[in-house]
Amino acid sequence: MQPVVTRFAPSPTGLLHLGSAYSALVAWTRAREAGGRFLLRIEDIDTGRCRPEFEAALLGDLRWLGLDWDGEVRRQSEHFDTYHRVVEGLAGRGLAYPCFCTRADIAREIAGSGGAPHGPDGPLYPGTCRQLSPAERRQRIDAGHDHCIRLDAGRAALEVGPYAFVDEGQGRIEGQPVLAGDIVVARKDAPTSYHLAVTVDDHLQGVTLVTRGDDLLPSAHVQVLLQRLLGYATPGYSHHRLLADATGRRLAKRHGDLTIRSLRESGVTAEEVRHRALAGRTAAP
Ligand code: GLU
């Protein structure tokens, strides 16, 4: 049987909060129970928002919680060349194209066409730049126009055909290749995007089980599509519920009172925090 390899993949844009600590605990527990490997990956492609001091705090808080990881920490900002090559490969196969639209251009286009279908993150990109000729693309790039690179989801769907993945809680799920439309595979300010970097890294790191919050379930449709295009194996998925406070509000980074740091400082022990997170409780009983 394949050894279990899980990962925790936080973005260092703030202090570790109880909700993310829960995700880390789930991934760590699944690996340790199976005698497998638990990997730590820092998702810092947004170099404007990610900070080294948050990364240091994250690592410190994980250690304090008693979570140890295997091997080196992988930092996405150190692998931009790898992602760039993958994006070039997709573009070379006619599966990705440069998009010069600003947010305002996109909003105008959508308003002008009387609306757009919605995906998990809002209205889908209307495909404006998909229509540009190779000459127009070249001319705008040579003129130095800012652009991102988008996946041509329609073409990708045709190339891949029907696909599916398995989530432990929900069973077999049919892939919806155009669920999120022509997603960005390289941002204007970075040679990758969240989806592309996650897909490449899960493959290169040999992750066999992706555990993460169920808010990211829609991402799996896109990431498995990318895996199929790139010839990567598809891992298993286990999307877990997100911790909520007493009013049912999902925990997020902005709820600063629930950072591991503040719990530590208030004298709560690591064992209590672990227990609280696993019991889905955000406050002491
Ligand atoms: N970096 C993502 C986050 O902090 C998690 C990515 C993933 O688990 O696929 O929400």
Side-chain angles (χ1 to χ4, degrees), residues 7-12 20 41-43 76 194 198 202 210-213 215-216 219 223 253:
R7 48 47 164 208
F8 176 53
S11 290
S20 301
R41 181 163 85 219
I42 300 294
E43 302 213 321
Q76 292 187 326
Y194 157 67
V198 164
D202 283 342
V210 171
T211 63
R212 59 187 176 192
D215 56 331
L216 288 173
S219 297
Q223 290 165 14
K253 276 185 187 161

Side-chain angles (χ1 to χ4, degrees), residues 97-102 105 129 132-133 135-149 186-190:
Y97 61 87
C99 168
F100 305 90
C101 294
T102 61
D105 293 334
C129 289
L132 295 178
S133 69
E136 276 172 302
R137 287 177 182 157
R138 193 68 272 150
Q139 181 250 319
R140 291 199 200 184
I141 290 173
D142 290 348
H145 290 190
D146 268 357
H147 62 280
C148 67
I149 308 284
R187 297 159 47 131
K188 281 185 180 166
D189 62 351

Side-chain angles (χ1 to χ4, degrees), residues 244-261:
D245 67 13
T247 66
R249 187 181 59 165
R250 288 174 158 195
L251 292 193
K253 276 185 187 161
R254 62 185 178 279
H255 307 142
D257 50 340
L258 285 164
T259 61
I260 300 305
R261 195 47 59 98

Side-chain angles (χ1 to χ4, degrees), residues 85-208:
R85 280 196 297 275
V86 174
V87 171
E88 294 265 271
L90 289 172
R93 290 161 63 193
L95 292 165
Y97 61 87
C99 168
F100 305 90
C101 294
T102 61
R103 276 173 202 271
D105 293 334
I106 296 173
R108 216 176 305 115
E109 176 76 25
I110 290 175
S113 62
H118 273 244
D121 303 316
L124 300 186
Y125 175 63
T128 323
C129 289
R130 201 193 307 125
Q131 331 296 342
L132 295 178
S133 69
E136 276 172 302
R137 287 177 182 157
R138 193 68 272 150
Q139 181 250 319
R140 291 199 200 184
I141 290 173
D142 290 348
H145 290 190
D146 268 357
H147 62 280
C148 67
I149 308 284
R150 289 183 181 274
L151 182 75
D152 185 333
R155 274 199 181 196
L158 280 177
E159 180 144 338
V160 164
Y163 66 96
F165 57 96
V166 176
D167 178 80
E168 286 184 348
Q170 304 207 19
R172 184 188 150 92
I173 298 177
E174 290 302 323
Q176 295 175 49
V178 295
L179 179 73
D182 285 1
I183 53 125
V184 172
V185 287
R187 297 159 47 131
K188 281 185 180 166
D189 62 351
T192 182
S193 66
Y194 157 67
H195 287 305
L196 188 99
V198 164
T199 305
V200 170
D201 286 356
D202 283 342
H203 165 69
L204 292 178
Q205 294 189 286
V207 171
T208 64

Side-chain angles (χ1 to χ4, degrees), residues 7-11 15-28 38-42 54-70 73 259-261 264 270-271 273-274:
R7 48 47 164 208
F8 176 53
S11 290
L15 290 171
L16 184 70
H17 64 88
L18 196 59
S20 301
Y22 172 64
S23 289
L25 265 165
V26 169
W28 180 85
F38 169 66
L39 309 178
L40 180 59
R41 181 163 85 219
I42 300 294
F54 287 134
E55 182 190 315
L58 258 162
L59 266 54
D61 287 344
L62 290 174
R63 282 196 196 97
W64 178 79
L65 278 168
L67 305 189
D68 56 341
W69 52 90
D70 297 300
V73 174
T259 61
I260 300 305
R261 195 47 59 98
R264 268 171 89 164
E271 206 192 326
V273 174
R274 283 201 304 269

